[in-house]
Structures are given as C-alpha cells and as structure tokens.
Amino acid sequence: MNSQHPVTIAPSILSADFADFGREIRAVEGAGADWIHVDVMDGHFVPNLTFGPATCRAIRPHITTVMDVHLMIAPVDPYIDAFAAAGADRLTAHLEAGPHIHRTLQAIRAAGVRPGVAVNPGTPIEAVFPLLDMVDLVCVMTVNPGFGGQSFIAARVPDVARLRAAIGDRPVKIEVDGGIAPDTAPGVVAAGADVLVAGSAVFTGGSADDPAPYAANIAAIRQAVAQRRA
C-alpha cells in the first residue's frame, strides 16, 4: 500500500453529548469527520453498557458519511440482523467474543453489511491472519475495550506493521482504536493504519453549538500525520 494513503478519521460518539447525538454528529461531520464510530458495549463482554440497535436507528438519518459500528458484545450473532436493519454500513465483531468467528463474519456479510474483526491487545495479531479473506476491515485495539479515554498501548504499533504486511494487496482496511491523538496517530499510520478512531481527542473542548474545536482537533491529528510523512 502507498505510504501516502489518505487517513480516515472516525470520531467515536462515546465521547459526544448523549443528549444531543443528532446535532453532535452533524457538527463533527461538518468539522471534517470521515466516518462516525459507534461503540456498542453490553456490560458483559466489556465492563460498560452503551448503545443498541434502537440508538443506531435513531442516529442513522443524521449520518451522511459511514456508520461504523463496533460490536463489543457477546454473543454477536443474534444481533447482527437488528444492527443491519438499523442502518450500519460496517459491523465489526471481536475475535474473542465467541468460538465461531467465521460464522459471525459470514452472517454479517449475508446481512448486506461490510464485516470487520476486532482484536484485543492481549491477543496475538497473528490470530486474525486466517480471516483476512473474509473481512473488509481489521480493528486493532490499542486499549482494552470498555471505556473511552484510556492510555495508548504503544506495543501494539509493531502489530499494525505485521498486519499490514500480512494483508498485502487485499482490499482490507486497518482501523486503530484506543488512545488516538496527535502524538500517537503518526506512528500507527506509518505502520500501516488506514482508519483512526478518536473519541476524547476529537470531542474535547467543543459542542454542537461550538464545533470549531472539533475541526481544530481533527486538523491537529491530520497535521501530525502529515508532518511525520514529510
């Protein structure tokens, strides 16, 4: 892959104002977001509880880019059709969420949604290599999933590079999720990441009424990546 490939910024609405999702989404898209990342947590697979299909259905009309739904839930399969019907463009399931990841990925694609697989920091990156012909995206977690605002796990950067080498010419995107900010983004992009999920690094300081900080925060991430490439 060309080292100068465009970087996709996917703000996580986990850091947005929950009482004002529609305006927040429109504001952050207007500020330069490429995708909208929706962190679905079940209080079982991860120690937090967030959104379900009804929330995705409610925010779908406000999203003009891509609804990137990250399923941090177990089991996954019983909910695939509901999230697909709610308008998800992409559904990413965790490798660790169940014993039959192939079946899960097949079901996501059969539902008309682009499938992705996420892998936790404690799981060797090589575990996803047999799945690369089944997915459109691999989400490399650089924090342990469950909460926003955690510190970036730098040991994951070499894993991104190994994953990029394994992907080769396949049309598979690498998404990095966790602790992404202007100081961490350049390293993961240099290693081969295509998509950067950022929560607090995008939403800090702004609001739907004052979205200028969102634009400045997104621009700061892009500028840091560009400076590393220069």
Side-chain angles (χ1 to χ4, degrees):
M1 174 169 289
N2 188 333
S3 63
Q4 300 301 309
H5 63 279
V7 175
T8 296
I9 305 294
S12 168
I13 61 169
L14 193 63
S15 295
D17 180 353
F18 282 26
D20 206 4
F21 272 153
R23 293 177 67 232
E24 286 275 58
I25 287 166
R26 294 194 297 274
V28 80
E29 284 189 338
D34 300 300
W35 294 2
I36 298 297
H37 189 81
V38 184
D39 286 307
V40 176
M41 305 182 187
D42 64 357
H44 167 69
F45 179 66
V46 293
N48 200 359
L49 189 64
T50 59
F51 322 118
T55 301
C56 290
R57 187 179 305 110
I59 66 176
R60 175 72 260 190
H62 302 278
I63 298 174
T64 62
T65 56
V66 172
M67 183 191 284
D68 179 38
V69 179
H70 181 185
L71 298 176
M72 287 170 271
I73 66 175
V76 177
D77 296 12
Y79 302 98
I80 290 170
D81 288 343
F83 280 104
D89 295 299
R90 294 175 175 272
L91 279 177
T92 296
H94 270 260
L95 177 69
E96 304 86 358
H100 307 299
I101 187 64
H102 292 79
R103 181 183 300 161
T104 298
L105 296 173
Q106 290 166 345
I108 292 171
R109 196 176 292 281
V113 182
R114 291 179 177 270
V117 62
V119 56
N120 285 336
T123 300
I125 198 66
E126 290 78 11
V128 301
F129 290 2
L131 305 172
L132 294 178
D133 290 322
M134 299 186 66
V135 298
D136 287 21
L137 176 147
V138 178
C139 177
V140 180
M141 297 300 299
T142 43
V143 299
N144 287 292
F147 294 96
Q150 297 183 66
S151 297
F152 179 81
I153 299 174
R156 250 343 211 180
V157 177
D159 291 343
V160 174
R162 289 200 296 277
L163 175 60
R164 173 52 62 199
I167 288 171
D169 294 332
R170 296 179 180 89
V172 176
K173 294 183 180 293
I174 298 176
E175 179 175 81
V176 176
D177 184 353
I180 293 296
D183 62 329
T184 57
V188 295
V189 172
D194 305 288
V195 183
L196 303 178
V197 176
S200 55
V202 168
F203 283 99
T204 295
S207 67
D209 291 323
D210 179 23
Y214 297 168
N217 293 340
I218 291 171
I221 294 171
R222 294 195 194 278
Q223 182 177 12
V225 170
Q227 288 175 342
R228 171 69 175 265
R229 287 172 161 174

